[in-house]
Amino acid sequence: SICTMCEHIGDIVTNGTVVGKNFVKDPGLNRTMLGDGLATLVAGLLGSVPNTSYGENTSVLAITKNYNPKILKRTAIMAIILSLIGVFGALIQSVPACVIGGISLQLYIMIAWVGFKNIKDNKSYKSIKNLVIIILMLAIGLGGVTLTIGSVTLSSLALSAIIGITINYIANKL
């Protein structure tokens, strides 16, 4: 839940940066979080996993420069329909792993580019506090650091988010 929530907030901010609008303000973080929560609730009731797809959307928005919500809704509906057709699923699975790997690499490079662009545009790198937080989160998240307390294990992503939020809170109180 922590990872999904942190991802949601980050992705709403980066999607807004790509599109040139403040989605935290309009439609509002409360509405987007509610929508994401309800979608995750429905997914859970249907036996699926939490919804975490905004990073991919950020990449698609940055690549296509198509920000029209109507087209995006139609595309989503088409994707849902196509996912129910076995032949289409088999066709997708026939794509060689190296091609999927290349597409995935492109996707995550675009996501990283948008994130670094946000850091540059907001001049976050000029604050030593922000740099320390960024470096710690990257080191923990990418380094695969985990923390196990009893039967609870925090993944590197969860631990990175918790430490980043905590240190940011403490640094801004000093």
Side-chain angles (χ1 to χ4, degrees):
S1 295
I2 293 169
C3 291
T4 304
M5 184 176 65
C6 290
E7 181 189 25
H8 177 89
I9 294 167
D11 290 332
I12 290 299
V13 171
T14 55
N15 280 342
T17 299
V18 169
V19 173
K21 294 184 179 181
N22 184 351
F23 292 135
V24 172
K25 189 175 181 180
D26 182 29
L29 192 57
N30 59 332
R31 288 183 174 178
T32 62
M33 289 285 276
L34 177 62
D36 201 15
L38 290 173
T40 298
L41 175 69
V42 170
L45 290 172
L46 296 173
S48 187
V49 296
N51 302 295
T52 59
S53 61
Y54 291 106
E56 290 79 358
N57 290 339
T58 302
S59 185
V60 169
L61 291 170
I63 291 168
T64 65
K65 305 283 189 235
N66 181 354
Y67 314 138
N68 185 336
K70 290 179 183 178
I71 292 174
L72 297 173
K73 285 177 190 174
R74 286 185 204 135
T75 306
I77 291 168
M78 281 177 38
I80 291 168
I81 292 169
L82 289 173
S83 75
L84 300 172
I85 300 171
V87 174
F88 186 75
L91 178 67
I92 296 294
Q93 289 179 340
S94 73
V95 176
C98 60
V99 174
I100 297 295
I103 292 168
S104 298
L105 186 60
Q106 157 71 35
L107 173 78
Y108 290 107
I109 287 171
M110 288 300 297
I111 294 168
W113 172 79
V114 170
F116 287 121
K117 184 177 181 310
N118 262 346
I119 290 170
K120 182 182 135 290
D121 291 350
N122 294 320
K123 301 196 184 332
S124 298
Y125 61 89
K126 291 195 174 192
S127 162
I128 192 67
K129 290 181 198 177
N130 288 347
L131 279 178
V132 169
I133 294 167
I134 291 167
I135 291 166
L136 277 171
M137 290 183 72
L138 284 172
I140 292 166
L142 296 174
V145 178
T146 60
L147 176 65
T148 303
I149 302 171
S151 63
V152 176
T153 299
L154 293 174
S155 70
S156 57
L157 184 60
L159 189 59
S160 173
I162 291 168
I163 288 175
I165 291 167
T166 304
I167 292 175
N168 186 51
Y169 179 78
I170 292 168
N172 286 313
K173 289 293 180 187
L174 297 177

